């Protein structure tokens, strides 16, 4: 770290830097570019700033074109000499048409709401990659051939968590595998049912449900070893055997939200109508698990997985 840029994690010692001149011997594509009479352009960014949150380098000092590098030859080698200064980032390129942008993402199409009804079997996804609309924070959730069907079928795929051990973290390692689905556009007033199949190969406690401002504590929590399920202040018991598919369902209505495991009601809560949310899944351990057959559909006023009538076993 430097005097004007401290590391956000840890306590690295300060370093002192001073201007210097470096000599770069050209090889590969740069050498071929020079041999074909192309010029090498230099762009510089001055990253000097403070250490306070939100204090960033002045945009007017970023990615500025500063001239053309002169190429020298000696002992059969081609090289350039480049002056470097503290807190600067330097780019060398053969591109003549480069320009400084504004950093804004230009949408290629008109923004549309998330499509409902929606289904995702993962069968048309690419092996070894993340599926559409899913994004990880911890662990590694990727598309794999279904290892639970007994035979390899190119048309039978699942979304699987494939890291079986805790990573060697440089920061916070207290959180287990975590992935999210969808944009922060779902609302409790949308009247939708979300269902997905889930399989765990080893015991763990997992959390699954809405994620967003003031809604994270509303998720369903299940300890697969004890069968204890918790949703808001409702505690129940579910049978959650390993290496078998189980169906989790969430019914989001204007007046209340209900959660089911294998069509058994296990929780009921209320979300603020104004708070958008996405789906979140997190496990307490790094174990193999998989998702399959995600479905999102609209609910009418009469439809329901089952009549919500449960016995509260315990209050938290």
């Amino acid at each position: 770290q430097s005097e004007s840029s401290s590391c956000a994690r840890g306590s690295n010692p300060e370093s002192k830097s001073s201007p210097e001149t470096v000599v770069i011997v050209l090889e590969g594509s740069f050498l071929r570019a020079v041999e074909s009479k192309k010029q090498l352009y230099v762009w510089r960014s001055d990253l000097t700033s403070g250490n306070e949150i939100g204090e960033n380098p002045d945009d007017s000092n970023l990615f500025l074109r500063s001239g053309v590098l002169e190429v020298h030859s000696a002992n059969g080698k081609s090289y350039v000499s480049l002056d470097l200064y503290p807190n600067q980032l330097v780019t060398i390129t053969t591109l003549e048409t480069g320009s400084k942008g504004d950093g804004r993402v230009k949408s290629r199409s008109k923004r549309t709401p998330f499509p409902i009804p929606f289904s995702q079997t993962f069968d048309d996804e690419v092996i070894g990659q993340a599926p559409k609309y899913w994004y990880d924070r911890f662990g590694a959730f990727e598309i794999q051939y279904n290892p639970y069907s007994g035979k390899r079928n190119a048309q039978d795929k699942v979304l699987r968590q494939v890291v079986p051990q805790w990573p060697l973290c440089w920061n916070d390692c207290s959180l287990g595998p975590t992935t999210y689905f969808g944009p922060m556009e779902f609302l409790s007033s949308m009247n939708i049912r979300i269902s997905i199949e889930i399989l765990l190969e080893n015991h763990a406690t997992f959390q699954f449900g809405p994620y967003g401002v003031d809604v994270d504590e509303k998720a369903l929590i299940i300890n697969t070893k004890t069968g204890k399920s918790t949703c808001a202040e409702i505690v129940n018991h579910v049978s959650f055997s390993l290496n078998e598919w189980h169906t989790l369902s969430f019914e989001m209505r204007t007046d209340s939200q209900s959660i089911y495991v294998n069509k058994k009601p296990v929780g009921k809560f209320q979300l603020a109508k104004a708070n958008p949310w996405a789906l979140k899944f997190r496990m307490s351990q790094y174990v193999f698990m998989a998702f399959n057959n995600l479905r999102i559909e609209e609910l009418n006023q009469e439809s329901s997985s089952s009549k919500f009538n449960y016995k509260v076993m315990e209050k938290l």
Side-chain angles (χ1 to χ4, degrees), residues 33-78:
V34 170
E35 291 174 341
S36 62
K37 307 302 182 183
K38 290 186 178 180
Q39 292 182 308
L40 298 181
Y41 300 93
V42 180
W43 296 74
R44 296 179 183 269
S45 295
D46 188 345
L47 304 182
T48 301
S49 66
N51 289 316
E52 299 299 323
I53 295 178
E55 191 171 357
N56 297 310
D58 191 334
D59 185 69
S60 63
N61 294 328
L62 302 181
F63 207 60
L64 303 179
R65 186 167 172 174
S66 65
V68 178
L69 278 178
E70 183 179 356
V71 180
H72 306 278
S73 298
N75 301 321
K77 299 285 187 180
S78 296

Tab-separated table of all heavy atoms in Angstrom, residues 33-78:
chain	number	residue	atom	x	y	z
A	33	ALA	N	4.156	-6.057	-34.242
A	33	ALA	CA	3.486	-4.793	-34.544
A	33	ALA	C	4.498	-3.727	-34.950
A	33	ALA	O	4.278	-2.972	-35.900
A	33	ALA	CB	2.690	-4.325	-33.328
A	34	VAL	N	5.615	-3.671	-34.232
A	34	VAL	CA	6.647	-2.679	-34.553
A	34	VAL	C	7.260	-2.980	-35.913
A	34	VAL	O	7.521	-2.074	-36.717
A	34	VAL	CB	7.725	-2.667	-33.451
A	34	VAL	CG1	8.914	-1.836	-33.877
A	34	VAL	CG2	7.135	-2.130	-32.159
A	35	GLU	N	7.495	-4.265	-36.198
A	35	GLU	CA	8.091	-4.649	-37.471
A	35	GLU	C	7.176	-4.331	-38.646
A	35	GLU	O	7.633	-4.143	-39.773
A	35	GLU	CB	8.425	-6.140	-37.452
A	35	GLU	CG	9.573	-6.482	-36.485
A	35	GLU	CD	9.795	-7.982	-36.375
A	35	GLU	OE1	8.872	-8.753	-36.739
A	35	GLU	OE2	10.873	-8.371	-35.917
A	36	SER	N	5.877	-4.265	-38.386
A	36	SER	CA	4.928	-3.911	-39.449
A	36	SER	C	4.654	-2.404	-39.462
A	36	SER	O	3.650	-1.956	-40.029
A	36	SER	CB	3.628	-4.678	-39.274
A	36	SER	OG	3.001	-4.333	-38.034
A	37	LYS	N	5.546	-1.649	-38.810
A	37	LYS	CA	5.511	-0.170	-38.821
A	37	LYS	C	4.363	0.431	-38.018
A	37	LYS	O	3.984	1.590	-38.219
A	37	LYS	CB	5.447	0.375	-40.261
A	37	LYS	CG	6.529	-0.157	-41.181
A	37	LYS	CD	7.927	0.138	-40.656
A	37	LYS	CE	8.997	-0.376	-41.626
A	37	LYS	NZ	10.367	-0.151	-41.089
A	38	LYS	N	3.794	-0.342	-37.091
A	38	LYS	CA	2.774	0.237	-36.209
A	38	LYS	C	3.433	0.984	-35.064
A	38	LYS	O	4.537	0.647	-34.637
A	38	LYS	CB	1.868	-0.861	-35.649
A	38	LYS	CG	0.939	-1.485	-36.675
A	38	LYS	CD	-0.032	-2.455	-36.028
A	38	LYS	CE	-0.999	-3.034	-37.059
A	38	LYS	NZ	-1.965	-3.983	-36.438
A	39	GLN	N	2.717	1.992	-34.547
A	39	GLN	CA	3.238	2.781	-33.427
A	39	GLN	C	2.687	2.266	-32.100
A	39	GLN	O	1.627	1.634	-32.053
A	39	GLN	CB	2.884	4.257	-33.616
A	39	GLN	CG	3.604	4.916	-34.782
A	39	GLN	CD	3.256	6.391	-34.892
A	39	GLN	OE1	2.089	6.755	-34.915
A	39	GLN	NE2	4.274	7.235	-34.964
A	40	LEU	N	3.425	2.551	-31.028
A	40	LEU	CA	2.997	2.173	-29.688
A	40	LEU	C	2.556	3.428	-28.941
A	40	LEU	O	3.343	4.364	-28.763
A	40	LEU	CB	4.139	1.481	-28.927
A	40	LEU	CG	4.645	0.173	-29.533
A	40	LEU	CD1	5.758	-0.404	-28.663
A	40	LEU	CD2	3.511	-0.833	-29.679
A	41	TYR	N	1.296	3.420	-28.521
A	41	TYR	CA	0.733	4.579	-27.826
A	41	TYR	C	0.722	4.332	-26.321
A	41	TYR	O	0.551	3.201	-25.856
A	41	TYR	CB	-0.679	4.862	-28.325
A	41	TYR	CG	-0.741	5.154	-29.804
A	41	TYR	CD1	-0.983	4.131	-30.721
A	41	TYR	CD2	-0.560	6.445	-30.289
A	41	TYR	CE1	-1.037	4.385	-32.088
A	41	TYR	CE2	-0.619	6.712	-31.646
A	41	TYR	CZ	-0.847	5.678	-32.537
A	41	TYR	OH	-0.892	5.950	-33.883
A	42	VAL	N	0.856	5.412	-25.555
A	42	VAL	CA	0.897	5.339	-24.095
A	42	VAL	C	-0.314	6.072	-23.521
A	42	VAL	O	-0.607	7.208	-23.918
A	42	VAL	CB	2.195	5.949	-23.531
A	42	VAL	CG1	2.196	5.848	-22.002
A	42	VAL	CG2	3.402	5.239	-24.106
A	43	TRP	N	-0.999	5.398	-22.591
A	43	TRP	CA	-2.096	6.004	-21.843
A	43	TRP	C	-1.730	5.946	-20.363
A	43	TRP	O	-1.210	4.950	-19.878
A	43	TRP	CB	-3.404	5.252	-22.083
A	43	TRP	CG	-3.889	5.308	-23.504
A	43	TRP	CD1	-3.373	4.625	-24.569
A	43	TRP	CD2	-4.975	6.079	-24.010
A	43	TRP	NE1	-4.068	4.913	-25.710
A	43	TRP	CE2	-5.067	5.798	-25.403
A	43	TRP	CE3	-5.882	6.955	-23.429
A	43	TRP	CZ2	-6.039	6.384	-26.216
A	43	TRP	CZ3	-6.854	7.538	-24.238
A	43	TRP	CH2	-6.921	7.260	-25.603
A	44	ARG	N	-2.027	7.017	-19.637
A	44	ARG	CA	-1.676	7.072	-18.219
A	44	ARG	C	-2.904	7.421	-17.368
A	44	ARG	O	-3.768	8.206	-17.785
A	44	ARG	CB	-0.578	8.109	-17.966
A	44	ARG	CG	0.755	7.792	-18.634
A	44	ARG	CD	1.798	8.878	-18.353
A	44	ARG	NE	3.049	8.603	-19.048
A	44	ARG	CZ	4.055	7.911	-18.551
A	44	ARG	NH1	3.962	7.421	-17.314
A	44	ARG	NH2	5.152	7.711	-19.241
A	45	SER	N	-2.950	6.824	-16.176
A	45	SER	CA	-3.985	7.145	-15.180
A	45	SER	C	-3.302	7.472	-13.872
A	45	SER	O	-2.465	6.694	-13.385
A	45	SER	CB	-4.940	5.965	-14.987
A	45	SER	OG	-5.673	5.694	-16.158
A	46	ASP	N	-3.641	8.624	-13.307
A	46	ASP	CA	-3.107	9.016	-11.998
A	46	ASP	C	-4.105	8.578	-10.933
A	46	ASP	O	-5.207	9.109	-10.836
A	46	ASP	CB	-2.907	10.532	-11.945
A	46	ASP	CG	-2.182	10.983	-10.681
A	46	ASP	OD1	-2.095	10.165	-9.723
A	46	ASP	OD2	-1.699	12.127	-10.631
A	47	LEU	N	-3.728	7.584	-10.122
A	47	LEU	CA	-4.638	6.997	-9.140
A	47	LEU	C	-4.514	7.626	-7.758
A	47	LEU	O	-5.024	7.076	-6.778
A	47	LEU	CB	-4.378	5.492	-9.042
A	47	LEU	CG	-4.491	4.712	-10.352
A	47	LEU	CD1	-4.257	3.227	-10.106
A	47	LEU	CD2	-5.839	4.937	-11.022
A	48	THR	N	-3.870	8.765	-7.656
A	48	THR	CA	-3.707	9.426	-6.364
A	48	THR	C	-5.073	9.794	-5.780
A	48	THR	O	-5.908	10.404	-6.447
A	48	THR	CB	-2.860	10.703	-6.507
A	48	THR	OG1	-1.585	10.358	-7.044
A	48	THR	CG2	-2.672	11.378	-5.159
A	49	SER	N	-5.317	9.395	-4.540
A	49	SER	CA	-6.573	9.707	-3.867
A	49	SER	C	-6.370	9.547	-2.370
A	49	SER	O	-5.262	9.265	-1.907
A	49	SER	CB	-7.709	8.801	-4.359
A	49	SER	OG	-7.458	7.460	-3.986
A	50	GLY	N	-7.434	9.708	-1.609
A	50	GLY	CA	-7.354	9.546	-0.166
A	50	GLY	C	-7.772	8.162	0.268
A	50	GLY	O	-8.078	7.289	-0.562
A	51	ASN	N	-7.812	7.937	1.586
A	51	ASN	CA	-8.136	6.625	2.138
A	51	ASN	C	-9.546	6.519	2.700
A	51	ASN	O	-9.922	5.480	3.237
A	51	ASN	CB	-7.137	6.265	3.246
A	51	ASN	CG	-5.766	5.955	2.684
A	51	ASN	OD1	-5.647	5.244	1.693
A	51	ASN	ND2	-4.720	6.509	3.291
A	52	GLU	N	-10.325	7.596	2.604
A	52	GLU	CA	-11.674	7.559	3.139
A	52	GLU	C	-12.598	6.772	2.204
A	52	GLU	O	-12.361	6.679	0.992
A	52	GLU	CB	-12.215	8.979	3.330
A	52	GLU	CG	-11.405	9.822	4.310
A	52	GLU	CD	-11.382	9.209	5.708
A	52	GLU	OE1	-12.420	8.645	6.110
A	52	GLU	OE2	-10.338	9.297	6.370
A	53	ILE	N	-13.650	6.199	2.782
A	53	ILE	CA	-14.616	5.453	1.990
A	53	ILE	C	-15.261	6.369	0.949
A	53	ILE	O	-15.726	7.465	1.274
A	53	ILE	CB	-15.691	4.821	2.888
A	53	ILE	CG1	-15.060	3.780	3.811
A	53	ILE	CG2	-16.803	4.186	2.046
A	53	ILE	CD1	-16.037	3.151	4.769
A	54	GLY	N	-15.269	5.929	-0.289
A	54	GLY	CA	-15.867	6.705	-1.357
A	54	GLY	C	-14.942	7.738	-1.966
A	54	GLY	O	-15.331	8.439	-2.906
A	55	GLU	N	-13.725	7.851	-1.467
A	55	GLU	CA	-12.767	8.817	-2.004
A	55	GLU	C	-11.953	8.138	-3.092
A	55	GLU	O	-11.103	7.286	-2.810
A	55	GLU	CB	-11.859	9.342	-0.895
A	55	GLU	CG	-11.027	10.537	-1.307
A	55	GLU	CD	-10.314	11.168	-0.127
A	55	GLU	OE1	-10.523	10.700	1.013
A	55	GLU	OE2	-9.546	12.125	-0.341
A	56	ASN	N	-12.210	8.519	-4.327
A	56	ASN	CA	-11.596	7.870	-5.482
A	56	ASN	C	-10.779	8.863	-6.303
A	56	ASN	O	-10.920	10.077	-6.148
A	56	ASN	CB	-12.680	7.244	-6.368
A	56	ASN	CG	-13.444	6.153	-5.650
A	56	ASN	OD1	-12.852	5.265	-5.061
A	56	ASN	ND2	-14.773	6.230	-5.699
A	57	PRO	N	-9.924	8.349	-7.206
A	57	PRO	CA	-9.132	9.251	-8.060
A	57	PRO	C	-10.020	10.155	-8.892
A	57	PRO	O	-11.132	9.790	-9.277
A	57	PRO	CB	-8.333	8.281	-8.944
A	57	PRO	CG	-8.275	7.004	-8.166
A	57	PRO	CD	-9.561	6.935	-7.417
A	58	ASP	N	-9.517	11.332	-9.183
A	58	ASP	CA	-10.242	12.288	-10.014
A	58	ASP	C	-10.382	11.718	-11.424
A	58	ASP	O	-9.397	11.341	-12.053
A	58	ASP	CB	-9.476	13.614	-10.056
A	58	ASP	CG	-10.293	14.732	-10.687
A	58	ASP	OD1	-11.178	14.413	-11.510
A	58	ASP	OD2	-10.049	15.902	-10.372
A	59	ASP	N	-11.616	11.673	-11.923
A	59	ASP	CA	-11.868	11.092	-13.238
A	59	ASP	C	-11.123	11.829	-14.345
A	59	ASP	O	-10.772	11.233	-15.369
A	59	ASP	CB	-13.364	11.089	-13.520
A	59	ASP	CG	-13.704	10.386	-14.820
A	59	ASP	OD1	-13.539	9.152	-14.880
A	59	ASP	OD2	-14.106	11.076	-15.776
A	60	SER	N	-10.868	13.111	-14.152
A	60	SER	CA	-10.186	13.888	-15.185
A	60	SER	C	-8.728	13.479	-15.341
A	60	SER	O	-8.070	13.860	-16.322
A	60	SER	CB	-10.270	15.385	-14.861
A	60	SER	OG	-9.585	15.669	-13.635
A	61	ASN	N	-8.206	12.690	-14.381
A	61	ASN	CA	-6.810	12.243	-14.451
A	61	ASN	C	-6.678	10.783	-14.856
A	61	ASN	O	-5.591	10.203	-14.748
A	61	ASN	CB	-6.128	12.442	-13.096
A	61	ASN	CG	-6.004	13.902	-12.722
A	61	ASN	OD1	-5.853	14.767	-13.586
A	61	ASN	ND2	-6.075	14.193	-11.430
A	62	LEU	N	-7.767	10.190	-15.315
A	62	LEU	CA	-7.749	8.762	-15.645
A	62	LEU	C	-7.754	8.536	-17.149
A	62	LEU	O	-8.461	9.215	-17.894
A	62	LEU	CB	-8.959	8.066	-15.020
A	62	LEU	CG	-9.103	8.158	-13.498
A	62	LEU	CD1	-10.342	7.407	-13.039
A	62	LEU	CD2	-7.862	7.626	-12.798
A	63	PHE	N	-6.956	7.575	-17.581
A	63	PHE	CA	-6.875	7.111	-18.958
A	63	PHE	C	-6.686	8.277	-19.931
A	63	PHE	O	-7.525	8.543	-20.797
A	63	PHE	CB	-8.119	6.298	-19.315
A	63	PHE	CG	-7.849	5.276	-20.405
A	63	PHE	CD1	-6.901	4.292	-20.217
A	63	PHE	CD2	-8.547	5.309	-21.601
A	63	PHE	CE1	-6.644	3.343	-21.207
A	63	PHE	CE2	-8.301	4.377	-22.593
A	63	PHE	CZ	-7.342	3.394	-22.405
A	64	LEU	N	-5.564	8.937	-19.771
A	64	LEU	CA	-5.225	10.066	-20.627
A	64	LEU	C	-4.133	9.645	-21.606
A	64	LEU	O	-3.123	9.049	-21.218
A	64	LEU	CB	-4.737	11.251	-19.789
A	64	LEU	CG	-5.704	11.750	-18.705
A	64	LEU	CD1	-5.069	12.902	-17.938
A	64	LEU	CD2	-7.036	12.170	-19.311
A	65	ARG	N	-4.310	9.967	-22.865
A	65	ARG	CA	-3.308	9.642	-23.879
A	65	ARG	C	-2.116	10.571	-23.722
A	65	ARG	O	-2.266	11.797	-23.693
A	65	ARG	CB	-3.925	9.776	-25.269
A	65	ARG	CG	-3.025	9.328	-26.395
A	65	ARG	CD	-3.830	9.210	-27.671
A	65	ARG	NE	-3.000	8.974	-28.828
A	65	ARG	CZ	-3.456	8.724	-30.051
A	65	ARG	NH1	-4.772	8.679	-30.245
A	65	ARG	NH2	-2.653	8.508	-31.065
A	66	SER	N	-0.922	9.982	-23.613
A	66	SER	CA	0.257	10.813	-23.319
A	66	SER	C	1.345	10.721	-24.371
A	66	SER	O	2.477	11.135	-24.121
A	66	SER	CB	0.844	10.424	-21.963
A	66	SER	OG	1.345	9.095	-21.988
A	67	GLY	N	1.055	10.194	-25.540
A	67	GLY	CA	2.042	10.244	-26.604
A	67	GLY	C	2.379	8.911	-27.207
A	67	GLY	O	1.744	7.882	-26.931
A	68	VAL	N	3.410	8.912	-28.044
A	68	VAL	CA	3.857	7.727	-28.770
A	68	VAL	C	5.242	7.335	-28.270
A	68	VAL	O	6.109	8.187	-28.043
A	68	VAL	CB	3.903	8.005	-30.287
A	68	VAL	CG1	4.413	6.781	-31.048
A	68	VAL	CG2	2.523	8.411	-30.796
A	69	LEU	N	5.449	6.037	-28.067
A	69	LEU	CA	6.749	5.543	-27.609
A	69	LEU	C	7.708	5.420	-28.786
A	69	LEU	O	7.348	4.895	-29.849
A	69	LEU	CB	6.601	4.173	-26.943
A	69	LEU	CG	6.162	4.143	-25.476
A	69	LEU	CD1	6.037	2.701	-25.013
A	69	LEU	CD2	7.141	4.881	-24.586
A	70	GLU	N	8.920	5.883	-28.572
A	70	GLU	CA	9.954	5.719	-29.592
A	70	GLU	C	10.627	4.364	-29.416
A	70	GLU	O	11.035	4.004	-28.316
A	70	GLU	CB	10.989	6.831	-29.476
A	70	GLU	CG	12.062	6.770	-30.539
A	70	GLU	CD	13.065	7.901	-30.411
A	70	GLU	OE1	12.864	8.775	-29.532
A	70	GLU	OE2	14.053	7.916	-31.174
A	71	VAL	N	10.723	3.605	-30.488
A	71	VAL	CA	11.316	2.278	-30.439
A	71	VAL	C	12.791	2.363	-30.790
A	71	VAL	O	13.179	2.966	-31.807
A	71	VAL	CB	10.596	1.316	-31.406
A	71	VAL	CG1	11.234	-0.074	-31.353
A	71	VAL	CG2	9.111	1.234	-31.073
A	72	HIS	N	13.622	1.751	-29.947
A	72	HIS	CA	15.072	1.742	-30.154
A	72	HIS	C	15.527	0.327	-30.513
A	72	HIS	O	14.845	-0.661	-30.216
A	72	HIS	CB	15.801	2.213	-28.903
A	72	HIS	CG	15.339	3.553	-28.406
A	72	HIS	ND1	15.791	4.742	-28.935
A	72	HIS	CD2	14.436	3.893	-27.431
A	72	HIS	CE1	15.211	5.763	-28.315
A	72	HIS	NE2	14.384	5.265	-27.397
A	73	SER	N	16.697	0.229	-31.134
A	73	SER	CA	17.273	-1.065	-31.483
A	73	SER	C	18.711	-1.126	-31.014
A	73	SER	O	19.469	-0.150	-31.151
A	73	SER	CB	17.216	-1.301	-33.007
A	73	SER	OG	15.880	-1.326	-33.465
A	74	ALA	N	19.107	-2.270	-30.461
A	74	ALA	CA	20.477	-2.486	-30.002
A	74	ALA	C	20.719	-3.976	-29.854
A	74	ALA	O	19.870	-4.689	-29.301
A	74	ALA	CB	20.747	-1.767	-28.683
A	75	ASN	N	21.831	-4.457	-30.379
A	75	ASN	CA	22.210	-5.869	-30.265
A	75	ASN	C	21.124	-6.799	-30.790
A	75	ASN	O	20.848	-7.856	-30.221
A	75	ASN	CB	22.544	-6.228	-28.809
A	75	ASN	CG	23.688	-5.399	-28.253
A	75	ASN	OD1	24.662	-5.112	-28.965
A	75	ASN	ND2	23.562	-4.993	-26.996
A	76	GLY	N	20.474	-6.390	-31.867
A	76	GLY	CA	19.452	-7.220	-32.479
A	76	GLY	C	18.124	-7.235	-31.737
A	76	GLY	O	17.252	-8.021	-32.070
A	77	LYS	N	17.984	-6.385	-30.738
A	77	LYS	CA	16.759	-6.320	-29.954
A	77	LYS	C	16.061	-4.976	-30.152
A	77	LYS	O	16.713	-3.935	-30.326
A	77	LYS	CB	17.059	-6.506	-28.468
A	77	LYS	CG	17.697	-7.837	-28.111
A	77	LYS	CD	16.687	-8.963	-28.149
A	77	LYS	CE	17.280	-10.251	-27.628
A	77	LYS	NZ	16.298	-11.378	-27.663
A	78	SER	N	14.758	-4.990	-30.128
A	78	SER	CA	13.966	-3.766	-30.149
A	78	SER	C	13.420	-3.505	-28.751
A	78	SER	O	12.946	-4.429	-28.080
A	78	SER	CB	12.803	-3.888	-31.142
A	78	SER	OG	13.271	-4.039	-32.460
